[in-house]
Amino acid sequence: MNCRHCNKELSHVFADLVYSPISNAMLKPEQLNEPETYYPLKLFVCDNCFLVQVDEMEKADSIFDAEYTYFSSFSSSLLEHSKKYVEMMIARFGFDQNSQVIEIASNDGYLLQYFKDLGVPVLGFDPTANTAKAAEEKGIETIVDFFGSNTSTTLLAEKNIKADLIIGNNVLAHVPDINDFVKGMKIALKDTGVITMEFPHLMKLVDDCLFDLIYHEHFSYLSFSTVKRVFEQQGLEMFDVDEIPTHGGSLRIYAKHKNDTTKKINPKVQQFLKREKDAGVTTLDYYSGFQKRIDKIKYDTWTFLIEQKKLGKKVAGYGAAAKGNTLFNFCGIKGTDLVEFVVDASPHKQNKFLPGSHIPVVSEEHLKTIKPDFVVIIPWNLKTEISKQLAYIRDWGGQFVICVPETYVF
Ligand SMILES: [Zn+2]
């Protein structure tokens, strides 16, 4: 297998999570009697461009094929984050009714709705029909397709649209062909347009051992240096970068056409590159030792769950996120003896089963009826929001647990 960006042969394994089903492939009750498809889950690091990436696998269509159950609008903290972003961007760049905003992976319109409310024309791109339908219901025109140089060219021809702003949040890391994806944005961007992308920062993943961000749909694990390199190859230049708290530490990058002289390059760009270089992000040494650290998380999670089982305690989970499937499948948790059920607020996930572990996903009512002793908060990045919302478990002596980057009870 060769690097998705620079085509150099890959020979350095960064993390091997052995194998698991696709993390969004939740099962309906009737599917529990059917065979389940598992795929290898191994990450390599390229010794030339330091792009961390998943092993070659099924083409992307089959991943998003299934009825995709993640509706962004069910996360109140994501809505809050999106609203603040829209206000910040309008204040900084002055987008108005004469501007065009395009969001790639626009999901159910969770973000574009705020631009629309302020009268800024929007267009979404999303390959998943049922989330796109929810966006259309909010009045947000959505093209149901993958984004890339082909769809970008078609879009220009058919709709005569170019963007003042292209947004992609948690999508850059999820595209199989990152070069073509960035090329597509170059084509769709007006001469003085802005691109912003948010993605989990590789340095946070390594430093804080956030291995449950690893799953099949997540093809690339990105540092600022590598993303800068990918964009430069397509004639795009970074002019700013923000660190944001999503997913345990993400970056928001700002890009423009290389020959667009209307925007100053923030000194933060050079400072950030230096910080990554000083940390060793552009050396192989930085990536060694990660496997040992994630193995320890596995043993600690097991130990905790088995101890509780022996003591006759009940453990449940909260949040049927991809993170949980990585954790449960890497830890080899099967069935309901160690984790009885997982609660999720989204009705699209309830009454289904987690892939691999087959743990049932239920509504919050179950928590109040069963009264578990421990609730594992799976999306640890939302622990403040979730523990506040479920504070009532304290009434029966219930406690919260976080498993990544270490077992922590509170
Ligand atoms: Zn490479």
Side-chain angles (χ1 to χ4, degrees), residues 3 5-8 46 48-51 53:
C3 173
H5 170 57
C6 75
N7 209 32
K8 178 133 195 249
C46 172
N48 179 47
C49 72
F50 297 95
L51 179 67
Q53 49 204 293

Side-chain angles (χ1 to χ4, degrees), residues 339-370:
V339 179
E340 290 191 21
F341 56 87
V342 168
V343 170
D344 199 281
S346 168
H348 300 280
K349 293 183 180 181
Q350 291 165 6
N351 304 317
K352 290 187 179 157
F353 294 79
L354 298 184
S357 64
H358 294 192
I359 298 170
V361 180
V362 297
S363 72
E364 199 178 321
E365 281 310 303
H366 274 71
L367 216 50
K368 296 169 184 166
T369 322
I370 311 279

Side-chain angles (χ1 to χ4, degrees), residues 313-324:
K313 305 281 188 192
K314 286 181 178 173
V315 181
Y318 188 90
K323 288 183 180 75

